[in-house]
Structures are given as C-alpha cells and as structure tokens.
Amino acid sequence: FVLKADVYRPANPSGPVIGILMLPGGGWRNCDRSPLGERYGLALARDGFVCVAGEYRVMDEAPWPAQIQDVKANIRWMRANATNLGIDPSLIVVAGKSAGGHLALLAAGTQGVKEFEGYGGNPNVSSQVAAVVGVSPVSTVVDRAKDPGFEPMFGKDPSDALITAASPVSYAGANYPPALFLHGTSDDRVDHSTTMVMYQKLENAGVPVDLHLFAGQDHFFDREPHFAQAVIDAMALFIRRYVPVPVKEAVAAS
C-alpha cells in the first residue's frame, strides 16, 4: 500500500521551518485529506509553517494498530525528507481532527512503543514530535472499542489492555510533549469532557498544555471559516511558544 500526502509550503522561507503533519478525521472509516488544504494547509503555510496533509489506512483496509503505524510512518517520512520539505527535522508537530486527533495524540505519547512504530517507511528514523494539537480529538476509545461497529478495527471483544494502549489519555504524563486542545462544548460525537480529562492529567503532570473550548459549537465547528481561522491562530501561537526555532549565531566577518 502507498500513503499519499499534500504539502503546503511558505512562499519565501529564510531557512528550515517547523513542519506540521495534519491528519483528517472520518471516524476511522474514511480518511479524506483533501479538505485539510483549504481549511488548514494554505493558512498554515502563510503563517510560515510547512503543512503536510497526511493519511492513514481506515478500518476496512487494515485492523488496529495499522492506523497509528501509518501516522508514525508519516512522521518518519517528514523527518527523513526534511531537507527537501524545507523543515527542521527536530521541529515536527503532529495535529489532527477527531479520529485524526486520536492518532495525533497517540503518536505524541507513544515514542518507542514498538507495536505502534511498525516496519514501513524509514524504520530507523525517529517518530518523535515536538508538540501535538487535537481538534475535537478522541482521547479514549473505551466507549467505542467494544461497539460492534468497530469490530473491523479492534476485533471482537478486544482486551482491556488493548483498549488502554489505544487510548491517548493513558500516556498523559510528564514525558508527554506540549499539547493544544480545541473542542466545542455541544459536540455530540466526541464529548468535550473527555478532552478536559486529558488536559487536567497533563496539567497535573506539569506539561505545557492549552485548552480552547468553544461554547455551543458542535463536532464540525472548524468547518466555519471564522472558527477555522481561530484554530489556526491558536495553533500558530501555541507552536511558536513551545516549539522554538533555534537562533543561528551570526558569523563575524574576518
């Protein structure tokens, strides 16, 4: 199988910049990266980032943990091709919406978890990220994993250990990277209270973490241009606060 990506670059970068992997949602049943370009990719490129709109296999294509393995393969590809992409390989951020948010949050917290790394694409390259952004993210699969509708993904009657391992909130500890969460309070697909639980765990652990709640907004609030811009502005501010680009020392003239 082949994973594809769309790359959005700033017009005139002065050197390597921060790279952002953006993952689409779709309930792990579909993975359409095309809307990410207009909603996020172009705007983030205008803000000076390289945005890679990535993809992953969905449940009808491969069972768990193929999805998180694909996301880590995306990250490794970005790092391995940093020069061509114009990014600093140490400054990669992973972001995602809904199911994509689940995978972004999981990727951020599972550096070195062998079963999630997989063997595809640049297997000897690190999949570590400098920060993570979740938009209406799924931070726990407890209420989904044993649903018959998710049997193609998690199998029949998945173990508690599998469910815990597949839930990003399980990794919310002191070693987690800086995190930004954005969620509508009227989301009837992913309740914002689950995001608040992960936020609190990270805050208690001393991890830099921001939480933006949008009163009365549903799961798809970011489809509205003004809310999409609010998400982009929050991302840009957060990333620039916690993913500092190294300052090059001036070379004195001889």
Side-chain angles (χ1 to χ4, degrees):
F1 68 96
V2 176
L3 296 173
K4 296 183 179 180
D6 300 314
V7 180
Y8 303 86
R9 310 170 190 254
N12 297 296
S14 57
V17 301
I18 295 169
I20 303 174
L21 172 63
M22 196 78 196
L23 302 166
W28 305 275
R29 291 182 172 87
N30 60 73
C31 182
D32 182 7
R33 70 184 190 279
S34 57
L36 296 179
E38 189 171 346
R39 195 177 307 166
Y40 293 112
L42 293 172
L44 288 169
R46 284 193 293 268
D47 276 349
F49 305 103
V50 169
C51 181
V52 175
E55 64 182 17
Y56 48 89
R57 284 171 290 174
V58 295
M59 67 172 73
D60 288 337
E61 295 174 315
W64 186 260
Q67 293 73 27
I68 186 62
Q69 290 175 349
D70 289 353
V71 168
K72 286 175 176 279
N74 275 277
I75 296 168
R76 293 195 302 267
W77 176 81
M78 288 177 66
R79 181 162 282 119
N81 293 277
T83 300
N84 290 336
L85 290 171
I87 64 174
D88 186 318
S90 67
L91 305 178
I92 295 175
V93 177
V94 63
K97 166 69 185 284
S98 191
H102 163 258
L103 295 170
L105 296 182
L106 195 64
T110 57
Q111 171 67 19
V113 176
K114 189 171 182 180
E115 68 169 314
F116 290 168
E117 294 293 335
Y119 300 97
N122 306 290
N124 297 318
V125 175
S126 170
S127 63
Q128 188 169 0
V129 296
V132 61
V133 179
V135 183
S136 310
V138 176
S139 59
T140 176
V141 298
V142 169
D143 56 346
R144 289 173 170 79
K146 295 192 177 185
D147 183 317
F150 286 89
E151 191 172 318
M153 184 166 173
F154 295 115
K156 191 171 184 178
D157 195 27
S159 68
D160 290 343
L162 184 153
I163 294 169
T164 298
S167 295
V169 71
S170 304
Y171 306 93
N175 294 324
Y176 202 85
L180 167 65
F181 301 114
L182 307 105
H183 216 130
T185 62
S186 293
D187 190 333
D188 60 0
R189 296 195 177 207
V190 183
D191 197 280
H192 71 285
S193 63
T194 58
T195 290
M196 293 173 70
V197 168
M198 186 158 179
Y199 164 83
Q200 194 65 62
K201 287 189 69 172
L202 290 172
E203 186 182 50
N204 291 347
V207 174
V209 56
D210 276 6
L211 171 63
H212 295 243
L213 296 178
F214 296 89
Q217 296 306 305
D218 66 13
H219 191 64
F220 303 105
F221 75 95
D222 63 319
R223 289 181 178 175
E224 298 293 331
H226 54 294
F227 281 116
Q229 189 60 51
V231 172
I232 290 159
D233 291 343
M235 287 177 64
L237 177 60
F238 183 81
I239 291 168
R240 290 204 167 97
R241 282 162 59 206
Y242 291 110
V243 187
V245 177
V247 177
K248 293 183 179 179
E249 294 185 8
V251 178
S254 57

